[in-house]
Amino acid sequence: MEAQPLGARHGALRLMGAMLLGLAVAIGPAAMLEARGAPESFADLAEQISPAVVNITTSAVVEAATDDVPRLPEGSPFQDFFDQFSNPDGNGEPRRSEALGSGFVISEDGYIVTNNHVIEGADQIEIEFFSGDRLPAKLVGTDPKTDIALLKVESEKPLAFVNFGDSDLMRVGDWVVAMGNPLGQGFSVSAGIVSARNRALSGTYDDYLQTDAAINKGNSGGPLFNMDGQVIGVNTAILSPTGGSIGIGFSMASNVVTKVVAQLREFGETRRGWLGVRIQDVTPDVAEAMSLGNVKGALITDVPDGPAKDSGMLAGDVITSFDGKEIKDVRDLTRRVADAPVGQAVKVLVLREGKTETLSVTLGRREEAEAIETAAKPGANEPAEAQLMGLTVAPVTAEQAEQLGLPVGAEGLVVTKVDGTSEAFTKGLREGDVITEAGQQKVVRVQDLKDRVTEAKDAGRKSILLLIRRGGDPRFVALSIE
């Protein structure tokens, strides 16, 4: 299955329909549970929230592709025909390309939330409001790990805005409304229900609400509302085996988005807490082998130099509580650490040889730790290419980026060969594709991809999500790593 982002540059999505199924009434001996009927109309809600939803047009300079031009014998009678249609823009010079997306205003002074992939690589961003007014926007900050971006416009008058709601209060089956700019058709409203909660697409901080509300190409960055007109999600991706929509859409939960937006607004970047351990889930087999009473917690597999090592943590410790809150699994610990303030001392409970110990850990900053780790791996020792998951990959050169029609300065790993018997080949990857993200983290070097695969395996995942660009058009593909 492939997770597809919704922006105009990110995969071909298809129109999807949503069929609402009748809910049975469960009758027990003591009580009767009645399903709520569908709202008589969404019109009042749509009228209330529409002024705060915006269309986003981005523009960027891209290199004209030349690799696909047919090569004909000199003097061929078909030469004029191919000259006319193979390069309609003229002489193969760089050209300006536009893309569409959605967003929403969160303050009267002009802060706007959207997806990172909507504005990624853009040098011009224009906001169209429900009234038809247009304003240029500047980028405040982005967080690729949650695919969130914060923009700012300057308006002479206060802007209509919407508030965030509590995504943790949403239940499976609750009604939701999605708004945005699907397929470039302008402001559009669709309704559905919350189909599932706490979905992950391989990202470290993923917490998606799944919905069957119709969301399509161009809906990226648009809001998902509850029935009180509060934003409880940001529409980001769909899951599909074919690239076409099958009614499974994902919105990043508002309780993740609000924390990211607050940091982008204050600092222009994220500042996540960092513990400095490698961890894995406690499986039933591990719990039995370690004589643990519960299959809960995060098992430490390695303690490199960092805050955890300084506090006395050891490989084999099981973290059961962080800052006074029980830890269920790796995802739970990762999010709680990320949300904790940098430099804050927190109490961490660990199980060690059957006994509970309390440690005090002063958290570092993840972004700084990642930068140091990258700098510690010099490119001089970087292999020319590597083979993973049926793919042979190598760092993309400036010349290759130009030939492949990628934006100026594009980075990633170019696929130089695909094993015809591999899952990657079955899912459509081909020579010339460029991997720009793995596990929702940027990859530039071969080692980056290897590290992301290792991290996914350490986290107990069976697959990793790759962001693939072909001719500048991205799409997500999930590949098995077992």
Side-chain angles (χ1 to χ4, degrees):
M1 301 286 281
E2 301 172 11
Q4 305 272 350
L6 304 171
R9 292 198 184 100
H10 298 260
L13 306 182
R14 302 291 184 267
L15 292 172
M16 68 181 180
M19 179 179 295
L20 303 180
L21 304 180
L23 300 176
V25 178
I27 302 176
M32 178 183 295
L33 300 178
E34 296 185 0
R36 295 181 180 179
E40 181 178 345
S41 172
F42 295 99
D44 289 341
L45 177 61
E47 184 177 359
Q48 169 193 339
I49 58 183
S50 292
V53 182
V54 300
N55 295 339
I56 299 176
T57 302
T58 63
S59 180
V61 174
V62 297
E63 296 291 337
T66 58
D67 244 17
D68 296 332
V69 177
R71 300 190 180 278
L72 302 175
E74 186 176 353
S76 168
F78 298 102
Q79 187 64 55
D80 290 342
F81 174 83
F82 281 109
D83 287 346
Q84 178 181 356
F85 290 100
S86 64
N87 188 14
D89 293 329
N91 55 9
E93 294 181 350
R95 57 186 176 82
R96 184 162 289 279
S97 175
E98 290 190 345
L100 302 174
S102 306
F104 54 98
V105 184
I106 61 169
S107 66
E108 66 177 11
D109 59 343
Y111 282 98
I112 295 171
V113 173
T114 186
N115 278 145
N116 173 60
H117 74 254
V118 169
I119 54 81
E120 185 178 19
D123 53 28
Q124 294 181 8
I125 305 172
E126 184 180 65
I127 306 299
E128 179 188 2
F129 295 88
F130 188 73
S131 63
D133 293 339
R134 294 174 179 267
L135 288 174
K138 67 176 182 179
L139 180 62
V140 177
T142 67
D143 179 33
K145 292 183 178 179
T146 56
D147 202 5
I148 295 299
L150 184 65
L151 309 176
K152 181 70 164 64
V153 297
E154 300 297 333
S155 174
E156 295 180 353
K157 58 184 179 181
L159 298 174
F161 65 95
V162 287
N163 295 312
F164 285 105
D166 187 348
S167 55
D168 287 346
L169 298 179
M170 299 303 295
R171 302 174 302 164
V172 173
D174 279 346
W175 283 98
V176 288
V177 167
M179 290 196 68
N181 181 24
L183 303 173
Q185 296 301 302
F187 293 90
S188 179
V189 180
S190 61
I193 61 170
V194 174
S195 304
R197 290 170 37 87
N198 303 123
R199 293 297 200 198
L201 300 179
S202 291
T204 305
Y205 307 107
D206 285 0
D207 186 8
Y208 286 102
L209 295 175
Q210 180 184 324
T211 181
D212 66 351
I215 51 178
N216 300 279
K217 178 180 178 180
N219 272 107
S220 271
L224 189 71
F225 290 100
N226 62 19
M227 292 298 96
D228 294 323
Q230 298 171 326
V231 178
I232 46 84
V234 178
N235 300 324
T236 302
I238 67 169
L239 193 65
S240 171
T242 62
S245 177
I246 57 174
I248 303 178
F250 297 95
S251 295
M252 183 61 75
S254 61
N255 285 359
V256 173
V257 178
T258 52
K259 297 181 180 73
V260 171
V261 168
Q263 291 188 344
L264 294 180
R265 192 167 177 174
E266 182 176 358
F267 307 115
E269 59 185 359
T270 56
R271 298 187 177 183
R272 293 187 170 96
W274 178 59
L275 188 57
V277 291
R278 294 186 176 92
I279 51 179
Q280 69 178 60
D281 285 328
V282 177
T283 63
D285 291 343
V286 169
E288 181 180 1
M290 298 182 68
S291 301
L292 302 178
N294 296 315
V295 185
K296 291 183 179 179
L299 173 61
I300 299 176
T301 59
D302 187 28
V303 188
D305 292 340
K309 187 174 183 178
D310 294 341
S311 73
M313 283 190 187
L314 302 173
D317 288 350
V318 177
I319 299 176
T320 60
S321 175
F322 179 85
D323 199 20
K325 299 180 178 62
E326 182 184 38
I327 296 302
K328 300 176 183 177
D329 52 27
V330 166
R331 284 182 67 195
D332 192 18
L333 177 62
T334 301
R335 291 178 188 172
R336 293 193 185 282
V337 172
D339 290 342
V342 175
Q344 174 179 298
V346 297
K347 299 295 182 182
V348 180
L349 267 62
V350 300
L351 282 175
R352 180 182 297 171
E353 298 179 352
K355 298 180 181 179
T356 299
E357 295 197 21
T358 301
L359 305 174
S360 179
V361 186
T362 301
L363 299 179
R365 183 184 171 195
R366 173 170 288 276
E367 292 82 359
E368 292 179 352
E370 290 175 343
I372 293 173
E373 181 180 358
T374 300
K377 299 176 180 178
N381 298 323
E382 174 78 359
E385 62 180 23
Q387 295 179 348
L388 298 91
M389 302 173 288
L391 302 171
T392 302
V393 298
V396 65
T397 65
E399 182 180 359
Q400 287 173 322
E402 181 178 354
Q403 293 173 346
L404 295 170
L406 299 175
V408 176
E411 296 178 315
L413 300 176
V414 63
V415 177
T416 59
K417 185 178 180 181
V418 184
D419 183 346
T421 64
S422 67
E423 178 192 21
F425 186 88
T426 302
K427 290 194 171 182
L429 272 73
R430 296 294 183 267
E431 180 179 337
D433 288 346
V434 177
I435 303 171
T436 59
E437 291 183 12
Q440 294 188 318
Q441 297 185 53
K442 185 177 180 180
V443 293
V444 178
R445 306 169 304 125
V446 169
Q447 189 61 43
D448 294 337
L449 180 57
K450 291 181 177 180
D451 290 345
R452 300 296 84 77
V453 171
T454 299
E455 289 172 3
K457 288 181 178 179
D458 290 345
R461 300 192 183 99
K462 296 181 180 180
S463 63
I464 189 168
L465 200 65
L466 304 180
L467 183 58
I468 308 295
R469 291 182 183 270
R470 179 179 298 170
D473 187 20
R475 67 184 179 111
F476 279 124
V477 177
L479 293 183
S480 173
I481 55 176
E482 291 186 323

